[in-house]
PDB file of all heavy atoms in Angstrom:
ATOM      1  N   ARG Q 151      -7.592   4.819  10.717  1.00 96.00           N
ATOM      2  CA  ARG Q 151      -8.853   4.355  10.129  1.00 96.00           C
ATOM      3  C   ARG Q 151      -8.713   4.213   8.615  1.00 96.00           C
ATOM      4  O   ARG Q 151      -9.291   3.314   8.016  1.00 96.00           O
ATOM      5  CB  ARG Q 151      -9.995   5.331  10.458  1.00 96.00           C
ATOM      6  CG  ARG Q 151     -10.364   5.369  11.907  1.00 96.00           C
ATOM      7  CD  ARG Q 151     -10.814   4.008  12.435  1.00 96.00           C
ATOM      8  NE  ARG Q 151     -10.856   3.997  13.892  1.00 96.00           N
ATOM      9  CZ  ARG Q 151      -9.822   3.662  14.677  1.00 96.00           C
ATOM     10  NH1 ARG Q 151      -8.677   3.258  14.143  1.00 96.00           N
ATOM     11  NH2 ARG Q 151      -9.924   3.684  15.993  1.00 96.00           N
ATOM     12  N   ALA Q 152      -7.938   5.118   8.002  1.00 96.00           N
ATOM     13  CA  ALA Q 152      -7.734   5.029   6.542  1.00 96.00           C
ATOM     14  C   ALA Q 152      -7.018   3.720   6.188  1.00 96.00           C
ATOM     15  O   ALA Q 152      -7.378   3.049   5.215  1.00 96.00           O
ATOM     16  CB  ALA Q 152      -6.928   6.231   6.048  1.00 96.00           C
ATOM     17  N   VAL Q 153      -6.029   3.342   6.996  1.00 96.00           N
ATOM     18  CA  VAL Q 153      -5.304   2.085   6.746  1.00 96.00           C
ATOM     19  C   VAL Q 153      -6.261   0.900   6.914  1.00 96.00           C
ATOM     20  O   VAL Q 153      -6.262  -0.037   6.102  1.00 96.00           O
ATOM     21  CB  VAL Q 153      -4.093   1.966   7.695  1.00 96.00           C
ATOM     22  CG1 VAL Q 153      -3.472   0.575   7.620  1.00 96.00           C
ATOM     23  CG2 VAL Q 153      -3.046   3.022   7.356  1.00 96.00           C
ATOM     24  N   GLU Q 154      -7.109   0.958   7.944  1.00 96.00           N
ATOM     25  CA  GLU Q 154      -8.074  -0.136   8.147  1.00 96.00           C
ATOM     26  C   GLU Q 154      -9.041  -0.239   6.962  1.00 96.00           C
ATOM     27  O   GLU Q 154      -9.356  -1.338   6.500  1.00 96.00           O
ATOM     28  CB  GLU Q 154      -8.872   0.103   9.441  1.00 96.00           C
ATOM     29  CG  GLU Q 154      -8.041  -0.167  10.691  1.00 96.00           C
ATOM     30  CD  GLU Q 154      -8.697   0.385  11.946  1.00 96.00           C
ATOM     31  OE1 GLU Q 154      -9.885   0.773  11.909  1.00 96.00           O
ATOM     32  OE2 GLU Q 154      -7.994   0.442  12.954  1.00 96.00           O
ATOM     33  N   LEU Q 155      -9.487   0.926   6.474  1.00 96.00           N
ATOM     34  CA  LEU Q 155     -10.395   0.913   5.320  1.00 96.00           C
ATOM     35  C   LEU Q 155      -9.687   0.351   4.084  1.00 96.00           C
ATOM     36  O   LEU Q 155     -10.268  -0.405   3.307  1.00 96.00           O
ATOM     37  CB  LEU Q 155     -10.905   2.333   5.037  1.00 96.00           C
ATOM     38  CG  LEU Q 155     -11.931   2.886   6.034  1.00 96.00           C
ATOM     39  CD1 LEU Q 155     -12.117   4.390   5.863  1.00 96.00           C
ATOM     40  CD2 LEU Q 155     -13.285   2.181   5.870  1.00 96.00           C
ATOM     41  N   ALA Q 156      -8.412   0.727   3.929  1.00 95.00           N
ATOM     42  CA  ALA Q 156      -7.634   0.220   2.785  1.00 95.00           C
ATOM     43  C   ALA Q 156      -7.514  -1.296   2.852  1.00 95.00           C
ATOM     44  O   ALA Q 156      -7.636  -1.992   1.835  1.00 95.00           O
ATOM     45  CB  ALA Q 156      -6.258   0.876   2.756  1.00 95.00           C
ATOM     46  N   ASP Q 157      -7.303  -1.814   4.056  1.00 95.00           N
ATOM     47  CA  ASP Q 157      -7.228  -3.279   4.228  1.00 95.00           C
ATOM     48  C   ASP Q 157      -8.573  -3.927   3.907  1.00 95.00           C
ATOM     49  O   ASP Q 157      -8.651  -4.907   3.193  1.00 95.00           O
ATOM     50  CB  ASP Q 157      -6.822  -3.628   5.665  1.00 95.00           C
ATOM     51  CG  ASP Q 157      -5.338  -3.372   5.908  1.00 95.00           C
ATOM     52  OD1 ASP Q 157      -4.604  -3.295   4.904  1.00 95.00           O
ATOM     53  OD2 ASP Q 157      -4.940  -3.250   7.074  1.00 95.00           O
ATOM     54  N   ARG Q 158      -9.632  -3.320   4.471  1.00 95.00           N
ATOM     55  CA  ARG Q 158     -10.956  -3.939   4.318  1.00 95.00           C
ATOM     56  C   ARG Q 158     -11.411  -3.946   2.851  1.00 95.00           C
ATOM     57  O   ARG Q 158     -12.031  -4.887   2.378  1.00 95.00           O
ATOM     58  CB  ARG Q 158     -11.983  -3.177   5.171  1.00 95.00           C
ATOM     59  CG  ARG Q 158     -13.278  -3.959   5.288  1.00 95.00           C
ATOM     60  CD  ARG Q 158     -14.447  -3.174   5.838  1.00 95.00           C
ATOM     61  NE  ARG Q 158     -14.157  -2.367   7.002  1.00 95.00           N
ATOM     62  CZ  ARG Q 158     -14.997  -1.448   7.481  1.00 95.00           C
ATOM     63  NH1 ARG Q 158     -16.149  -1.239   6.879  1.00 95.00           N
ATOM     64  NH2 ARG Q 158     -14.681  -0.728   8.531  1.00 95.00           N
ATOM     65  N   TYR Q 159     -11.093  -2.857   2.122  1.00 94.00           N
ATOM     66  CA  TYR Q 159     -11.574  -2.758   0.742  1.00 94.00           C
ATOM     67  C   TYR Q 159     -10.474  -3.053  -0.285  1.00 94.00           C
ATOM     68  O   TYR Q 159     -10.617  -2.768  -1.458  1.00 94.00           O
ATOM     69  CB  TYR Q 159     -12.174  -1.363   0.498  1.00 94.00           C
ATOM     70  CG  TYR Q 159     -13.448  -1.141   1.281  1.00 94.00           C
ATOM     71  CD1 TYR Q 159     -13.421  -0.552   2.541  1.00 94.00           C
ATOM     72  CD2 TYR Q 159     -14.680  -1.560   0.780  1.00 94.00           C
ATOM     73  CE1 TYR Q 159     -14.582  -0.362   3.277  1.00 94.00           C
ATOM     74  CE2 TYR Q 159     -15.844  -1.378   1.506  1.00 94.00           C
ATOM     75  CZ  TYR Q 159     -15.794  -0.777   2.750  1.00 94.00           C
ATOM     76  OH  TYR Q 159     -16.945  -0.599   3.476  1.00 94.00           O
ATOM     77  N   SER Q 160      -9.368  -3.624   0.183  1.00 94.00           N
ATOM     78  CA  SER Q 160      -8.239  -3.999  -0.696  1.00 94.00           C
ATOM     79  C   SER Q 160      -7.786  -2.826  -1.574  1.00 94.00           C
ATOM     80  O   SER Q 160      -7.653  -2.965  -2.792  1.00 94.00           O
ATOM     81  CB  SER Q 160      -8.619  -5.185  -1.588  1.00 94.00           C
ATOM     82  OG  SER Q 160      -9.035  -6.263  -0.808  1.00 94.00           O
ATOM     83  N   CYS Q 161      -7.591  -1.683  -0.954  1.00 94.00           N
ATOM     84  CA  CYS Q 161      -7.136  -0.502  -1.701  1.00 94.00           C
ATOM     85  C   CYS Q 161      -5.613  -0.436  -1.697  1.00 94.00           C
ATOM     86  O   CYS Q 161      -4.961  -0.870  -0.755  1.00 94.00           O
ATOM     87  CB  CYS Q 161      -7.717   0.762  -1.089  1.00 94.00           C
ATOM     88  SG  CYS Q 161      -9.510   0.814  -1.202  1.00 94.00           S
ATOM     89  N   LYS Q 162      -5.078   0.145  -2.760  1.00 92.00           N
ATOM     90  CA  LYS Q 162      -3.625   0.158  -2.937  1.00 92.00           C
ATOM     91  C   LYS Q 162      -2.985   1.502  -2.588  1.00 92.00           C
ATOM     92  O   LYS Q 162      -1.773   1.628  -2.533  1.00 92.00           O
ATOM     93  CB  LYS Q 162      -3.271  -0.176  -4.401  1.00 92.00           C
ATOM     94  CG  LYS Q 162      -3.757  -1.551  -4.833  1.00 92.00           C
ATOM     95  CD  LYS Q 162      -2.735  -2.609  -4.426  1.00 92.00           C
ATOM     96  CE  LYS Q 162      -3.146  -3.994  -4.852  1.00 92.00           C
ATOM     97  NZ  LYS Q 162      -4.024  -4.665  -3.907  1.00 92.00           N
ATOM     98  N   LEU Q 163      -3.826   2.516  -2.421  1.00 95.00           N
ATOM     99  CA  LEU Q 163      -3.287   3.861  -2.214  1.00 95.00           C
ATOM    100  C   LEU Q 163      -4.116   4.623  -1.183  1.00 95.00           C
ATOM    101  O   LEU Q 163      -5.343   4.512  -1.177  1.00 95.00           O
ATOM    102  CB  LEU Q 163      -3.309   4.635  -3.549  1.00 95.00           C
ATOM    103  CG  LEU Q 163      -2.884   6.102  -3.510  1.00 95.00           C
ATOM    104  CD1 LEU Q 163      -1.391   6.236  -3.195  1.00 95.00           C
ATOM    105  CD2 LEU Q 163      -3.196   6.799  -4.824  1.00 95.00           C
ATOM    106  N   ILE Q 164      -3.419   5.389  -0.323  1.00 96.00           N
ATOM    107  CA  ILE Q 164      -4.122   6.311   0.580  1.00 96.00           C
ATOM    108  C   ILE Q 164      -3.736   7.731   0.185  1.00 96.00           C
ATOM    109  O   ILE Q 164      -2.552   8.064   0.129  1.00 96.00           O
ATOM    110  CB  ILE Q 164      -3.771   6.037   2.055  1.00 96.00           C
ATOM    111  CG1 ILE Q 164      -4.254   4.627   2.449  1.00 96.00           C
ATOM    112  CG2 ILE Q 164      -4.409   7.079   2.967  1.00 96.00           C
ATOM    113  CD1 ILE Q 164      -3.913   4.225   3.867  1.00 96.00           C
ATOM    114  N   LEU Q 165      -4.739   8.518  -0.107  1.00 97.00           N
ATOM    115  CA  LEU Q 165      -4.544   9.926  -0.486  1.00 97.00           C
ATOM    116  C   LEU Q 165      -4.840  10.788   0.740  1.00 97.00           C
ATOM    117  O   LEU Q 165      -5.973  10.791   1.223  1.00 97.00           O
ATOM    118  CB  LEU Q 165      -5.561  10.309  -1.549  1.00 97.00           C
ATOM    119  CG  LEU Q 165      -5.235  10.190  -3.017  1.00 97.00           C
ATOM    120  CD1 LEU Q 165      -6.445  10.627  -3.828  1.00 97.00           C
ATOM    121  CD2 LEU Q 165      -4.044  11.041  -3.369  1.00 97.00           C
ATOM    122  N   ILE Q 166      -3.834  11.501   1.208  1.00 97.00           N
ATOM    123  CA  ILE Q 166      -4.000  12.265   2.453  1.00 97.00           C
ATOM    124  C   ILE Q 166      -4.086  13.763   2.153  1.00 97.00           C
ATOM    125  O   ILE Q 166      -3.155  14.340   1.594  1.00 97.00           O
ATOM    126  CB  ILE Q 166      -2.805  11.997   3.396  1.00 97.00           C
ATOM    127  CG1 ILE Q 166      -2.737  10.509   3.751  1.00 97.00           C
ATOM    128  CG2 ILE Q 166      -2.890  12.861   4.653  1.00 97.00           C
ATOM    129  CD1 ILE Q 166      -1.405  10.089   4.355  1.00 97.00           C
ATOM    130  N   ASP Q 167      -5.206  14.356   2.519  1.00 95.00           N
ATOM    131  CA  ASP Q 167      -5.335  15.814   2.443  1.00 95.00           C
ATOM    132  C   ASP Q 167      -4.789  16.346   3.763  1.00 95.00           C
ATOM    133  O   ASP Q 167      -5.421  16.214   4.809  1.00 95.00           O
ATOM    134  CB  ASP Q 167      -6.811  16.193   2.257  1.00 95.00           C
ATOM    135  CG  ASP Q 167      -7.005  17.678   2.012  1.00 95.00           C
ATOM    136  OD1 ASP Q 167      -5.995  18.415   1.961  1.00 95.00           O
ATOM    137  OD2 ASP Q 167      -8.162  18.110   1.881  1.00 95.00           O
ATOM    138  N   GLY Q 168      -3.593  16.910   3.742  1.00 93.00           N
ATOM    139  CA  GLY Q 168      -2.899  17.264   4.975  1.00 93.00           C
ATOM    140  C   GLY Q 168      -3.362  18.582   5.574  1.00 93.00           C
ATOM    141  O   GLY Q 168      -3.985  19.400   4.898  1.00 93.00           O
ATOM    142  N   PRO Q 169      -3.040  18.805   6.845  1.00 88.00           N
ATOM    143  CA  PRO Q 169      -3.350  20.094   7.467  1.00 88.00           C
ATOM    144  C   PRO Q 169      -2.360  21.156   6.974  1.00 88.00           C
ATOM    145  O   PRO Q 169      -1.271  20.808   6.520  1.00 88.00           O
ATOM    146  CB  PRO Q 169      -3.126  19.834   8.961  1.00 88.00           C
ATOM    147  CG  PRO Q 169      -2.755  18.399   9.089  1.00 88.00           C
ATOM    148  CD  PRO Q 169      -2.356  17.898   7.766  1.00 88.00           C
ATOM    149  N   PRO Q 170      -2.704  22.431   7.084  1.00 85.00           N
ATOM    150  CA  PRO Q 170      -1.740  23.472   6.710  1.00 85.00           C
ATOM    151  C   PRO Q 170      -0.666  23.627   7.780  1.00 85.00           C
ATOM    152  O   PRO Q 170      -0.810  23.092   8.886  1.00 85.00           O
ATOM    153  CB  PRO Q 170      -2.611  24.729   6.622  1.00 85.00           C
ATOM    154  CG  PRO Q 170      -3.757  24.457   7.536  1.00 85.00           C
ATOM    155  CD  PRO Q 170      -3.980  22.972   7.519  1.00 85.00           C
ATOM    156  N   GLY Q 171       0.397  24.340   7.458  1.00 80.00           N
ATOM    157  CA  GLY Q 171       1.440  24.639   8.443  1.00 80.00           C
ATOM    158  C   GLY Q 171       2.492  23.554   8.517  1.00 80.00           C
ATOM    159  O   GLY Q 171       2.602  22.694   7.624  1.00 80.00           O
ATOM    160  N   THR Q 172       3.278  23.608   9.590  1.00 79.00           N
ATOM    161  CA  THR Q 172       4.345  22.614   9.770  1.00 79.00           C
ATOM    162  C   THR Q 172       4.333  22.079  11.208  1.00 79.00           C
ATOM    163  O   THR Q 172       5.339  21.586  11.694  1.00 79.00           O
ATOM    164  CB  THR Q 172       5.729  23.238   9.462  1.00 79.00           C
ATOM    165  OG1 THR Q 172       5.835  24.478  10.165  1.00 79.00           O
ATOM    166  CG2 THR Q 172       5.933  23.462   7.988  1.00 79.00           C
ATOM    167  N   GLY Q 173       3.215  22.205  11.877  1.00 84.00           N
ATOM    168  CA  GLY Q 173       3.141  21.783  13.283  1.00 84.00           C
ATOM    169  C   GLY Q 173       2.860  20.300  13.439  1.00 84.00           C
ATOM    170  O   GLY Q 173       2.973  19.513  12.497  1.00 84.00           O
ATOM    171  N   CYS Q 174       2.463  19.973  14.668  1.00 88.00           N
ATOM    172  CA  CYS Q 174       2.245  18.582  15.056  1.00 88.00           C
ATOM    173  C   CYS Q 174       1.248  17.845  14.145  1.00 88.00           C
ATOM    174  O   CYS Q 174       1.519  16.713  13.725  1.00 88.00           O
ATOM    175  CB  CYS Q 174       1.782  18.614  16.510  1.00 88.00           C
ATOM    176  SG  CYS Q 174       1.589  17.038  17.229  1.00 88.00           S
ATOM    177  N   PRO Q 175       0.096  18.455  13.798  1.00 89.00           N
ATOM    178  CA  PRO Q 175      -0.831  17.734  12.921  1.00 89.00           C
ATOM    179  C   PRO Q 175      -0.210  17.398  11.550  1.00 89.00           C
ATOM    180  O   PRO Q 175      -0.486  16.340  10.994  1.00 89.00           O
ATOM    181  CB  PRO Q 175      -2.009  18.711  12.766  1.00 89.00           C
ATOM    182  CG  PRO Q 175      -1.953  19.572  13.986  1.00 89.00           C
ATOM    183  CD  PRO Q 175      -0.492  19.733  14.275  1.00 89.00           C
ATOM    184  N   VAL Q 176       0.631  18.300  11.027  1.00 92.00           N
ATOM    185  CA  VAL Q 176       1.267  18.021   9.723  1.00 92.00           C
ATOM    186  C   VAL Q 176       2.254  16.865   9.853  1.00 92.00           C
ATOM    187  O   VAL Q 176       2.306  15.974   8.997  1.00 92.00           O
ATOM    188  CB  VAL Q 176       1.990  19.271   9.164  1.00 92.00           C
ATOM    189  CG1 VAL Q 176       2.631  18.967   7.813  1.00 92.00           C
ATOM    190  CG2 VAL Q 176       1.018  20.416   9.022  1.00 92.00           C
ATOM    191  N   MET Q 177       3.018  16.883  10.931  1.00 93.00           N
ATOM    192  CA  MET Q 177       3.965  15.770  11.143  1.00 93.00           C
ATOM    193  C   MET Q 177       3.209  14.452  11.208  1.00 93.00           C
ATOM    194  O   MET Q 177       3.621  13.455  10.619  1.00 93.00           O
ATOM    195  CB  MET Q 177       4.752  15.981  12.426  1.00 93.00           C
ATOM    196  CG  MET Q 177       5.727  17.133  12.325  1.00 93.00           C
ATOM    197  SD  MET Q 177       6.673  17.258  13.835  1.00 93.00           S
ATOM    198  CE  MET Q 177       6.837  19.001  13.979  1.00 93.00           C
TER     199      MET Q 177
END
Side-chain angles (χ1 to χ4, degrees):
R151 292 301 166 270
V153 170
E154 286 166 12
L155 287 166
D157 285 341
R158 193 193 315 168
Y159 292 93
S160 304
C161 296
K162 299 275 181 274
L163 175 68
I164 297 178
L165 268 179
I166 299 165
D167 187 1
T172 49
C174 185
V176 180
M177 291 183 216

